[in-house]
Amino acid sequence: MVEARQCSFCGTKIEPGTGKIYVKKEGNVFHFCTGKCKKNMIDLKRKDRETRWTRKYAQEKAVKVYPKKDAKKAGKKKIIRKKQ
């Protein structure tokens, strides 16, 4: 059975059959969920602990990363308008 992997940069779960694999000459294997993660780690040489949108940043800084749906629901109030 194919197992789910974890992104080497942001730490999100990668579903089987998706994502990218990058292998260095030394034999190091990196798994990426998107091209955005690959570009930030390989091309731009950014650190995952310092990039705010990664899960590893949130774990180190003890910040919760909310999905967009939950953030919209949390701050939404019902507005009642009177008809004239």
Side-chain angles (χ1 to χ4, degrees):
M1 177 127 215
V2 182
E3 61 185 62
R5 302 194 186 273
Q6 191 174 9
C7 181
S8 298
F9 187 71
C10 67
T12 58
K13 185 178 176 183
I14 304 171
E15 294 296 323
T18 61
K20 296 182 178 189
I21 298 175
Y22 183 82
V23 182
K24 286 192 169 184
K25 289 180 184 177
E26 302 91 38
N28 298 338
V29 180
F30 298 103
H31 300 277
F32 298 107
C33 56
T34 59
K36 178 181 178 181
C37 291
K38 180 189 171 289
K39 183 177 181 179
N40 277 284
M41 185 172 182
I42 303 299
D43 299 337
L44 302 175
K45 297 180 181 170
R46 292 186 176 156
K47 295 183 175 103
D48 53 358
R49 299 179 315 272
E50 297 172 1
T51 309
R52 292 185 179 201
W53 52 267
T54 62
R55 189 169 289 195
K56 293 180 182 179
Y57 174 86
Q59 289 174 350
E60 188 171 304
K61 303 292 182 181
V63 177
K64 291 186 178 181
V65 179
Y66 294 105
K68 291 182 180 179
K69 290 181 182 178
D70 292 341
K72 288 180 182 177
K73 289 180 183 177
K76 194 173 184 180
K77 290 185 177 179
K78 189 173 182 180
I79 300 172
I80 300 173
R81 297 181 183 168
K82 294 180 181 178
K83 294 183 180 180
Q84 295 178 355

PDB file of all heavy atoms in Angstrom, residues 9-44:
ATOM      1  N   PHE A   9       9.349  20.892   3.145  1.00  0.00           N
ATOM      2  CA  PHE A   9       9.452  22.307   3.462  1.00  0.00           C
ATOM      3  C   PHE A   9       8.371  22.771   4.437  1.00  0.00           C
ATOM      4  O   PHE A   9       8.666  23.219   5.531  1.00  0.00           O
ATOM      5  CB  PHE A   9       9.403  23.149   2.190  1.00  0.00           C
ATOM      6  CG  PHE A   9       9.670  24.607   2.428  1.00  0.00           C
ATOM      7  CD1 PHE A   9      10.932  25.044   2.763  1.00  0.00           C
ATOM      8  CD2 PHE A   9       8.660  25.539   2.327  1.00  0.00           C
ATOM      9  CE1 PHE A   9      11.186  26.383   2.997  1.00  0.00           C
ATOM     10  CE2 PHE A   9       8.894  26.875   2.548  1.00  0.00           C
ATOM     11  CZ  PHE A   9      10.164  27.307   2.883  1.00  0.00           C
ATOM     12  N   CYS A  10       7.117  22.629   4.056  1.00  0.00           N
ATOM     13  CA  CYS A  10       6.044  23.209   4.880  1.00  0.00           C
ATOM     14  C   CYS A  10       5.481  22.234   5.906  1.00  0.00           C
ATOM     15  O   CYS A  10       4.864  22.646   6.871  1.00  0.00           O
ATOM     16  CB  CYS A  10       4.926  23.749   4.003  1.00  0.00           C
ATOM     17  SG  CYS A  10       4.022  22.505   3.100  1.00  0.00           S
ATOM     18  N   GLY A  11       5.651  20.945   5.719  1.00  0.00           N
ATOM     19  CA  GLY A  11       5.196  19.972   6.704  1.00  0.00           C
ATOM     20  C   GLY A  11       3.790  19.452   6.507  1.00  0.00           C
ATOM     21  O   GLY A  11       3.290  18.716   7.344  1.00  0.00           O
ATOM     22  N   THR A  12       3.132  19.811   5.408  1.00  0.00           N
ATOM     23  CA  THR A  12       1.773  19.317   5.179  1.00  0.00           C
ATOM     24  C   THR A  12       1.798  17.891   4.646  1.00  0.00           C
ATOM     25  O   THR A  12       2.806  17.421   4.131  1.00  0.00           O
ATOM     26  CB  THR A  12       1.010  20.209   4.188  1.00  0.00           C
ATOM     27  OG1 THR A  12       1.739  20.255   2.968  1.00  0.00           O
ATOM     28  CG2 THR A  12       0.818  21.606   4.733  1.00  0.00           C
ATOM     29  N   LYS A  13       0.671  17.225   4.761  1.00  0.00           N
ATOM     30  CA  LYS A  13       0.548  15.845   4.298  1.00  0.00           C
ATOM     31  C   LYS A  13       0.371  15.829   2.785  1.00  0.00           C
ATOM     32  O   LYS A  13      -0.414  16.600   2.234  1.00  0.00           O
ATOM     33  CB  LYS A  13      -0.654  15.204   4.980  1.00  0.00           C
ATOM     34  CG  LYS A  13      -0.846  13.759   4.698  1.00  0.00           C
ATOM     35  CD  LYS A  13      -2.044  13.231   5.459  1.00  0.00           C
ATOM     36  CE  LYS A  13      -2.310  11.784   5.114  1.00  0.00           C
ATOM     37  NZ  LYS A  13      -3.501  11.278   5.795  1.00  0.00           N
ATOM     38  N   ILE A  14       1.097  14.940   2.093  1.00  0.00           N
ATOM     39  CA  ILE A  14       1.004  14.813   0.641  1.00  0.00           C
ATOM     40  C   ILE A  14       0.257  13.521   0.332  1.00  0.00           C
ATOM     41  O   ILE A  14       0.654  12.443   0.769  1.00  0.00           O
ATOM     42  CB  ILE A  14       2.398  14.771  -0.017  1.00  0.00           C
ATOM     43  CG1 ILE A  14       3.210  16.007   0.366  1.00  0.00           C
ATOM     44  CG2 ILE A  14       2.278  14.653  -1.524  1.00  0.00           C
ATOM     45  CD1 ILE A  14       4.648  15.936  -0.071  1.00  0.00           C
ATOM     46  N   GLU A  15      -0.816  13.637  -0.410  1.00  0.00           N
ATOM     47  CA  GLU A  15      -1.590  12.464  -0.801  1.00  0.00           C
ATOM     48  C   GLU A  15      -0.816  11.645  -1.836  1.00  0.00           C
ATOM     49  O   GLU A  15      -0.061  12.208  -2.630  1.00  0.00           O
ATOM     50  CB  GLU A  15      -2.934  12.896  -1.386  1.00  0.00           C
ATOM     51  CG  GLU A  15      -3.850  13.565  -0.380  1.00  0.00           C
ATOM     52  CD  GLU A  15      -4.266  12.636   0.739  1.00  0.00           C
ATOM     53  OE1 GLU A  15      -4.482  11.436   0.478  1.00  0.00           O
ATOM     54  OE2 GLU A  15      -4.367  13.109   1.874  1.00  0.00           O
ATOM     55  N   PRO A  16      -1.006  10.328  -1.840  1.00  0.00           N
ATOM     56  CA  PRO A  16      -0.331   9.490  -2.835  1.00  0.00           C
ATOM     57  C   PRO A  16      -0.725   9.888  -4.258  1.00  0.00           C
ATOM     58  O   PRO A  16      -1.882  10.169  -4.536  1.00  0.00           O
ATOM     59  CB  PRO A  16      -0.838   8.084  -2.517  1.00  0.00           C
ATOM     60  CG  PRO A  16      -1.267   8.148  -1.094  1.00  0.00           C
ATOM     61  CD  PRO A  16      -1.756   9.547  -0.874  1.00  0.00           C
ATOM     62  N   GLY A  17       0.264   9.958  -5.133  1.00  0.00           N
ATOM     63  CA  GLY A  17       0.027  10.309  -6.525  1.00  0.00           C
ATOM     64  C   GLY A  17       0.112  11.793  -6.809  1.00  0.00           C
ATOM     65  O   GLY A  17      -0.098  12.223  -7.932  1.00  0.00           O
ATOM     66  N   THR A  18       0.409  12.598  -5.800  1.00  0.00           N
ATOM     67  CA  THR A  18       0.530  14.037  -5.995  1.00  0.00           C
ATOM     68  C   THR A  18       1.885  14.501  -5.482  1.00  0.00           C
ATOM     69  O   THR A  18       2.615  13.753  -4.835  1.00  0.00           O
ATOM     70  CB  THR A  18      -0.565  14.800  -5.240  1.00  0.00           C
ATOM     71  OG1 THR A  18      -0.435  14.543  -3.842  1.00  0.00           O
ATOM     72  CG2 THR A  18      -1.950  14.399  -5.704  1.00  0.00           C
ATOM     73  N   GLY A  19       2.220  15.745  -5.754  1.00  0.00           N
ATOM     74  CA  GLY A  19       3.457  16.319  -5.246  1.00  0.00           C
ATOM     75  C   GLY A  19       4.641  16.106  -6.182  1.00  0.00           C
ATOM     76  O   GLY A  19       4.508  15.576  -7.283  1.00  0.00           O
ATOM     77  N   LYS A  20       5.798  16.551  -5.720  1.00  0.00           N
ATOM     78  CA  LYS A  20       7.032  16.435  -6.493  1.00  0.00           C
ATOM     79  C   LYS A  20       8.127  15.830  -5.632  1.00  0.00           C
ATOM     80  O   LYS A  20       8.158  16.034  -4.420  1.00  0.00           O
ATOM     81  CB  LYS A  20       7.489  17.816  -6.956  1.00  0.00           C
ATOM     82  CG  LYS A  20       6.541  18.487  -7.901  1.00  0.00           C
ATOM     83  CD  LYS A  20       7.076  19.820  -8.341  1.00  0.00           C
ATOM     84  CE  LYS A  20       6.113  20.462  -9.332  1.00  0.00           C
ATOM     85  NZ  LYS A  20       6.668  21.656  -9.943  1.00  0.00           N
ATOM     86  N   ILE A  21       9.043  15.097  -6.272  1.00  0.00           N
ATOM     87  CA  ILE A  21      10.194  14.529  -5.591  1.00  0.00           C
ATOM     88  C   ILE A  21      11.439  15.152  -6.197  1.00  0.00           C
ATOM     89  O   ILE A  21      11.582  15.213  -7.414  1.00  0.00           O
ATOM     90  CB  ILE A  21      10.238  12.998  -5.743  1.00  0.00           C
ATOM     91  CG1 ILE A  21       9.005  12.370  -5.103  1.00  0.00           C
ATOM     92  CG2 ILE A  21      11.505  12.443  -5.108  1.00  0.00           C
ATOM     93  CD1 ILE A  21       8.908  10.875  -5.314  1.00  0.00           C
ATOM     94  N   TYR A  22      12.342  15.632  -5.339  1.00  0.00           N
ATOM     95  CA  TYR A  22      13.592  16.237  -5.791  1.00  0.00           C
ATOM     96  C   TYR A  22      14.736  15.447  -5.162  1.00  0.00           C
ATOM     97  O   TYR A  22      14.771  15.262  -3.942  1.00  0.00           O
ATOM     98  CB  TYR A  22      13.652  17.705  -5.363  1.00  0.00           C
ATOM     99  CG  TYR A  22      14.879  18.432  -5.851  1.00  0.00           C
ATOM    100  CD1 TYR A  22      14.929  18.951  -7.135  1.00  0.00           C
ATOM    101  CD2 TYR A  22      15.977  18.601  -5.029  1.00  0.00           C
ATOM    102  CE1 TYR A  22      16.042  19.624  -7.581  1.00  0.00           C
ATOM    103  CE2 TYR A  22      17.100  19.265  -5.464  1.00  0.00           C
ATOM    104  CZ  TYR A  22      17.132  19.784  -6.748  1.00  0.00           C
ATOM    105  OH  TYR A  22      18.250  20.439  -7.185  1.00  0.00           O
ATOM    106  N   VAL A  23      15.675  14.970  -5.986  1.00  0.00           N
ATOM    107  CA  VAL A  23      16.803  14.187  -5.499  1.00  0.00           C
ATOM    108  C   VAL A  23      18.085  14.939  -5.826  1.00  0.00           C
ATOM    109  O   VAL A  23      18.343  15.275  -6.974  1.00  0.00           O
ATOM    110  CB  VAL A  23      16.837  12.780  -6.148  1.00  0.00           C
ATOM    111  CG1 VAL A  23      17.990  11.964  -5.597  1.00  0.00           C
ATOM    112  CG2 VAL A  23      15.518  12.064  -5.939  1.00  0.00           C
ATOM    113  N   LYS A  24      18.911  15.196  -4.811  1.00  0.00           N
ATOM    114  CA  LYS A  24      20.192  15.866  -5.012  1.00  0.00           C
ATOM    115  C   LYS A  24      21.237  14.857  -5.473  1.00  0.00           C
ATOM    116  O   LYS A  24      21.033  13.647  -5.390  1.00  0.00           O
ATOM    117  CB  LYS A  24      20.650  16.539  -3.718  1.00  0.00           C
ATOM    118  CG  LYS A  24      19.895  17.795  -3.376  1.00  0.00           C
ATOM    119  CD  LYS A  24      20.604  18.529  -2.256  1.00  0.00           C
ATOM    120  CE  LYS A  24      20.022  19.900  -2.080  1.00  0.00           C
ATOM    121  NZ  LYS A  24      20.751  20.662  -1.063  1.00  0.00           N
ATOM    122  N   LYS A  25      22.375  15.349  -5.925  1.00  0.00           N
ATOM    123  CA  LYS A  25      23.459  14.475  -6.389  1.00  0.00           C
ATOM    124  C   LYS A  25      23.989  13.592  -5.268  1.00  0.00           C
ATOM    125  O   LYS A  25      24.447  12.479  -5.513  1.00  0.00           O
ATOM    126  CB  LYS A  25      24.601  15.309  -6.960  1.00  0.00           C
ATOM    127  CG  LYS A  25      24.276  15.968  -8.269  1.00  0.00           C
ATOM    128  CD  LYS A  25      25.455  16.766  -8.772  1.00  0.00           C
ATOM    129  CE  LYS A  25      25.100  17.511 -10.043  1.00  0.00           C
ATOM    130  NZ  LYS A  25      26.220  18.339 -10.511  1.00  0.00           N
ATOM    131  N   GLU A  26      23.966  14.104  -4.032  1.00  0.00           N
ATOM    132  CA  GLU A  26      24.471  13.330  -2.898  1.00  0.00           C
ATOM    133  C   GLU A  26      23.543  12.184  -2.509  1.00  0.00           C
ATOM    134  O   GLU A  26      23.912  11.320  -1.734  1.00  0.00           O
ATOM    135  CB  GLU A  26      24.645  14.236  -1.665  1.00  0.00           C
ATOM    136  CG  GLU A  26      25.575  15.402  -1.860  1.00  0.00           C
ATOM    137  CD  GLU A  26      24.862  16.643  -2.342  1.00  0.00           C
ATOM    138  OE1 GLU A  26      23.731  16.925  -1.911  1.00  0.00           O
ATOM    139  OE2 GLU A  26      25.437  17.335  -3.202  1.00  0.00           O
ATOM    140  N   GLY A  27      22.312  12.218  -3.012  1.00  0.00           N
ATOM    141  CA  GLY A  27      21.351  11.170  -2.705  1.00  0.00           C
ATOM    142  C   GLY A  27      20.252  11.600  -1.747  1.00  0.00           C
ATOM    143  O   GLY A  27      19.419  10.784  -1.365  1.00  0.00           O
ATOM    144  N   ASN A  28      20.252  12.862  -1.344  1.00  0.00           N
ATOM    145  CA  ASN A  28      19.186  13.352  -0.470  1.00  0.00           C
ATOM    146  C   ASN A  28      17.875  13.439  -1.244  1.00  0.00           C
ATOM    147  O   ASN A  28      17.839  13.954  -2.357  1.00  0.00           O
ATOM    148  CB  ASN A  28      19.522  14.740   0.083  1.00  0.00           C
ATOM    149  CG  ASN A  28      20.766  14.732   0.936  1.00  0.00           C
ATOM    150  OD1 ASN A  28      21.153  13.693   1.444  1.00  0.00           O
ATOM    151  ND2 ASN A  28      21.393  15.881   1.083  1.00  0.00           N
ATOM    152  N   VAL A  29      16.807  12.941  -0.651  1.00  0.00           N
ATOM    153  CA  VAL A  29      15.502  12.939  -1.300  1.00  0.00           C
ATOM    154  C   VAL A  29      14.581  13.909  -0.557  1.00  0.00           C
ATOM    155  O   VAL A  29      14.441  13.836   0.659  1.00  0.00           O
ATOM    156  CB  VAL A  29      14.878  11.529  -1.299  1.00  0.00           C
ATOM    157  CG1 VAL A  29      13.516  11.540  -1.970  1.00  0.00           C
ATOM    158  CG2 VAL A  29      15.802  10.546  -1.984  1.00  0.00           C
ATOM    159  N   PHE A  30      13.953  14.824  -1.307  1.00  0.00           N
ATOM    160  CA  PHE A  30      13.013  15.783  -0.754  1.00  0.00           C
ATOM    161  C   PHE A  30      11.661  15.581  -1.419  1.00  0.00           C
ATOM    162  O   PHE A  30      11.578  15.390  -2.626  1.00  0.00           O
ATOM    163  CB  PHE A  30      13.479  17.224  -1.003  1.00  0.00           C
ATOM    164  CG  PHE A  30      14.790  17.552  -0.348  1.00  0.00           C
ATOM    165  CD1 PHE A  30      15.947  17.606  -1.091  1.00  0.00           C
ATOM    166  CD2 PHE A  30      14.855  17.798   1.009  1.00  0.00           C
ATOM    167  CE1 PHE A  30      17.157  17.913  -0.495  1.00  0.00           C
ATOM    168  CE2 PHE A  30      16.060  18.115   1.619  1.00  0.00           C
ATOM    169  CZ  PHE A  30      17.214  18.169   0.864  1.00  0.00           C
ATOM    170  N   HIS A  31      10.606  15.642  -0.624  1.00  0.00           N
ATOM    171  CA  HIS A  31       9.238  15.523  -1.125  1.00  0.00           C
ATOM    172  C   HIS A  31       8.562  16.873  -0.938  1.00  0.00           C
ATOM    173  O   HIS A  31       8.587  17.446   0.161  1.00  0.00           O
ATOM    174  CB  HIS A  31       8.467  14.456  -0.352  1.00  0.00           C
ATOM    175  CG  HIS A  31       9.089  13.101  -0.453  1.00  0.00           C
ATOM    176  ND1 HIS A  31       8.871  12.272  -1.517  1.00  0.00           N
ATOM    177  CD2 HIS A  31       9.937  12.445   0.360  1.00  0.00           C
ATOM    178  CE1 HIS A  31       9.552  11.151  -1.360  1.00  0.00           C
ATOM    179  NE2 HIS A  31      10.214  11.238  -0.205  1.00  0.00           N
ATOM    180  N   PHE A  32       7.933  17.390  -2.006  1.00  0.00           N
ATOM    181  CA  PHE A  32       7.268  18.685  -1.953  1.00  0.00           C
ATOM    182  C   PHE A  32       5.811  18.530  -2.356  1.00  0.00           C
ATOM    183  O   PHE A  32       5.480  17.774  -3.267  1.00  0.00           O
ATOM    184  CB  PHE A  32       7.948  19.685  -2.889  1.00  0.00           C
ATOM    185  CG  PHE A  32       9.377  19.966  -2.519  1.00  0.00           C
ATOM    186  CD1 PHE A  32      10.416  19.465  -3.277  1.00  0.00           C
ATOM    187  CD2 PHE A  32       9.687  20.724  -1.412  1.00  0.00           C
ATOM    188  CE1 PHE A  32      11.724  19.716  -2.936  1.00  0.00           C
ATOM    189  CE2 PHE A  32      10.996  20.991  -1.058  1.00  0.00           C
ATOM    190  CZ  PHE A  32      12.021  20.484  -1.823  1.00  0.00           C
ATOM    191  N   CYS A  33       4.946  19.297  -1.682  1.00  0.00           N
ATOM    192  CA  CYS A  33       3.518  19.235  -2.005  1.00  0.00           C
ATOM    193  C   CYS A  33       3.202  20.089  -3.229  1.00  0.00           C
ATOM    194  O   CYS A  33       2.342  19.733  -4.032  1.00  0.00           O
ATOM    195  CB  CYS A  33       2.682  19.675  -0.804  1.00  0.00           C
ATOM    196  SG  CYS A  33       3.087  21.298  -0.166  1.00  0.00           S
ATOM    197  N   THR A  34       3.893  21.228  -3.402  1.00  0.00           N
ATOM    198  CA  THR A  34       3.650  22.119  -4.534  1.00  0.00           C
ATOM    199  C   THR A  34       4.965  22.670  -5.059  1.00  0.00           C
ATOM    200  O   THR A  34       6.015  22.518  -4.437  1.00  0.00           O
ATOM    201  CB  THR A  34       2.776  23.319  -4.102  1.00  0.00           C
ATOM    202  OG1 THR A  34       3.444  24.026  -3.066  1.00  0.00           O
ATOM    203  CG2 THR A  34       1.403  22.884  -3.622  1.00  0.00           C
ATOM    204  N   GLY A  35       4.886  23.344  -6.197  1.00  0.00           N
ATOM    205  CA  GLY A  35       6.049  24.011  -6.756  1.00  0.00           C
ATOM    206  C   GLY A  35       6.484  25.191  -5.901  1.00  0.00           C
ATOM    207  O   GLY A  35       7.658  25.586  -5.903  1.00  0.00           O
ATOM    208  N   LYS A  36       5.545  25.760  -5.164  1.00  0.00           N
ATOM    209  CA  LYS A  36       5.853  26.877  -4.263  1.00  0.00           C
ATOM    210  C   LYS A  36       6.851  26.439  -3.194  1.00  0.00           C
ATOM    211  O   LYS A  36       7.818  27.153  -2.900  1.00  0.00           O
ATOM    212  CB  LYS A  36       4.554  27.351  -3.620  1.00  0.00           C
ATOM    213  CG  LYS A  36       4.704  28.461  -2.619  1.00  0.00           C
ATOM    214  CD  LYS A  36       3.331  28.807  -2.044  1.00  0.00           C
ATOM    215  CE  LYS A  36       3.419  29.883  -0.994  1.00  0.00           C
ATOM    216  NZ  LYS A  36       2.099  30.190  -0.439  1.00  0.00           N
ATOM    217  N   CYS A  37       6.638  25.261  -2.623  1.00  0.00           N
ATOM    218  CA  CYS A  37       7.545  24.753  -1.592  1.00  0.00           C
ATOM    219  C   CYS A  37       8.911  24.432  -2.176  1.00  0.00           C
ATOM    220  O   CYS A  37       9.939  24.726  -1.565  1.00  0.00           O
ATOM    221  CB  CYS A  37       6.946  23.520  -0.935  1.00  0.00           C
ATOM    222  SG  CYS A  37       5.501  23.856   0.065  1.00  0.00           S
ATOM    223  N   LYS A  38       8.925  23.836  -3.358  1.00  0.00           N
ATOM    224  CA  LYS A  38      10.192  23.489  -4.012  1.00  0.00           C
ATOM    225  C   LYS A  38      10.997  24.740  -4.318  1.00  0.00           C
ATOM    226  O   LYS A  38      12.203  24.807  -4.058  1.00  0.00           O
ATOM    227  CB  LYS A  38       9.949  22.703  -5.288  1.00  0.00           C
ATOM    228  CG  LYS A  38      11.220  22.322  -6.019  1.00  0.00           C
ATOM    229  CD  LYS A  38      10.900  21.735  -7.383  1.00  0.00           C
ATOM    230  CE  LYS A  38      12.138  21.562  -8.212  1.00  0.00           C
ATOM    231  NZ  LYS A  38      12.706  22.823  -8.669  1.00  0.00           N
ATOM    232  N   LYS A  39      10.338  25.748  -4.845  1.00  0.00           N
ATOM    233  CA  LYS A  39      11.019  26.984  -5.209  1.00  0.00           C
ATOM    234  C   LYS A  39      11.602  27.681  -3.986  1.00  0.00           C
ATOM    235  O   LYS A  39      12.737  28.158  -4.012  1.00  0.00           O
ATOM    236  CB  LYS A  39      10.058  27.921  -5.928  1.00  0.00           C
ATOM    237  CG  LYS A  39      10.703  29.192  -6.409  1.00  0.00           C
ATOM    238  CD  LYS A  39       9.739  30.044  -7.182  1.00  0.00           C
ATOM    239  CE  LYS A  39      10.423  31.309  -7.666  1.00  0.00           C
ATOM    240  NZ  LYS A  39       9.522  32.148  -8.446  1.00  0.00           N
ATOM    241  N   ASN A  40      10.834  27.729  -2.904  1.00  0.00           N
ATOM    242  CA  ASN A  40      11.309  28.385  -1.695  1.00  0.00           C
ATOM    243  C   ASN A  40      12.497  27.667  -1.075  1.00  0.00           C
ATOM    244  O   ASN A  40      13.431  28.304  -0.593  1.00  0.00           O
ATOM    245  CB  ASN A  40      10.180  28.504  -0.666  1.00  0.00           C
ATOM    246  CG  ASN A  40       9.309  29.699  -0.925  1.00  0.00           C
ATOM    247  OD1 ASN A  40       9.700  30.813  -0.647  1.00  0.00           O
ATOM    248  ND2 ASN A  40       8.132  29.463  -1.476  1.00  0.00           N
ATOM    249  N   MET A  41      12.508  26.337  -1.092  1.00  0.00           N
ATOM    250  CA  MET A  41      13.589  25.599  -0.448  1.00  0.00           C
ATOM    251  C   MET A  41      14.810  25.453  -1.337  1.00  0.00           C
ATOM    252  O   MET A  41      15.926  25.715  -0.910  1.00  0.00           O
ATOM    253  CB  MET A  41      13.103  24.218  -0.018  1.00  0.00           C
ATOM    254  CG  MET A  41      14.116  23.445   0.767  1.00  0.00           C
ATOM    255  SD  MET A  41      13.374  21.958   1.410  1.00  0.00           S
ATOM    256  CE  MET A  41      14.724  21.287   2.332  1.00  0.00           C
ATOM    257  N   ILE A  42      14.624  25.052  -2.591  1.00  0.00           N
ATOM    258  CA  ILE A  42      15.746  24.740  -3.469  1.00  0.00           C
ATOM    259  C   ILE A  42      16.281  25.990  -4.162  1.00  0.00           C
ATOM    260  O   ILE A  42      17.475  26.286  -4.092  1.00  0.00           O
ATOM    261  CB  ILE A  42      15.341  23.678  -4.516  1.00  0.00           C
ATOM    262  CG1 ILE A  42      14.815  22.407  -3.826  1.00  0.00           C
ATOM    263  CG2 ILE A  42      16.502  23.357  -5.437  1.00  0.00           C
ATOM    264  CD1 ILE A  42      15.792  21.707  -2.920  1.00  0.00           C
ATOM    265  N   ASP A  43      15.416  26.724  -4.829  1.00  0.00           N
ATOM    266  CA  ASP A  43      15.867  27.863  -5.632  1.00  0.00           C
ATOM    267  C   ASP A  43      16.201  29.090  -4.772  1.00  0.00           C
ATOM    268  O   ASP A  43      17.249  29.705  -4.931  1.00  0.00           O
ATOM    269  CB  ASP A  43      14.798  28.241  -6.660  1.00  0.00           C
ATOM    270  CG  ASP A  43      14.516  27.097  -7.627  1.00  0.00           C
ATOM    271  OD1 ASP A  43      15.395  26.228  -7.801  1.00  0.00           O
ATOM    272  OD2 ASP A  43      13.419  27.076  -8.206  1.00  0.00           O
ATOM    273  N   LEU A  44      15.300  29.452  -3.865  1.00  0.00           N
ATOM    274  CA  LEU A  44      15.486  30.656  -3.062  1.00  0.00           C
ATOM    275  C   LEU A  44      16.247  30.412  -1.761  1.00  0.00           C
ATOM    276  O   LEU A  44      16.627  31.353  -1.079  1.00  0.00           O
ATOM    277  CB  LEU A  44      14.117  31.283  -2.750  1.00  0.00           C
ATOM    278  CG  LEU A  44      13.290  31.660  -3.983  1.00  0.00           C
ATOM    279  CD1 LEU A  44      11.923  32.152  -3.560  1.00  0.00           C
ATOM    280  CD2 LEU A  44      14.007  32.704  -4.808  1.00  0.00           C
TER     281      LEU A  44
END
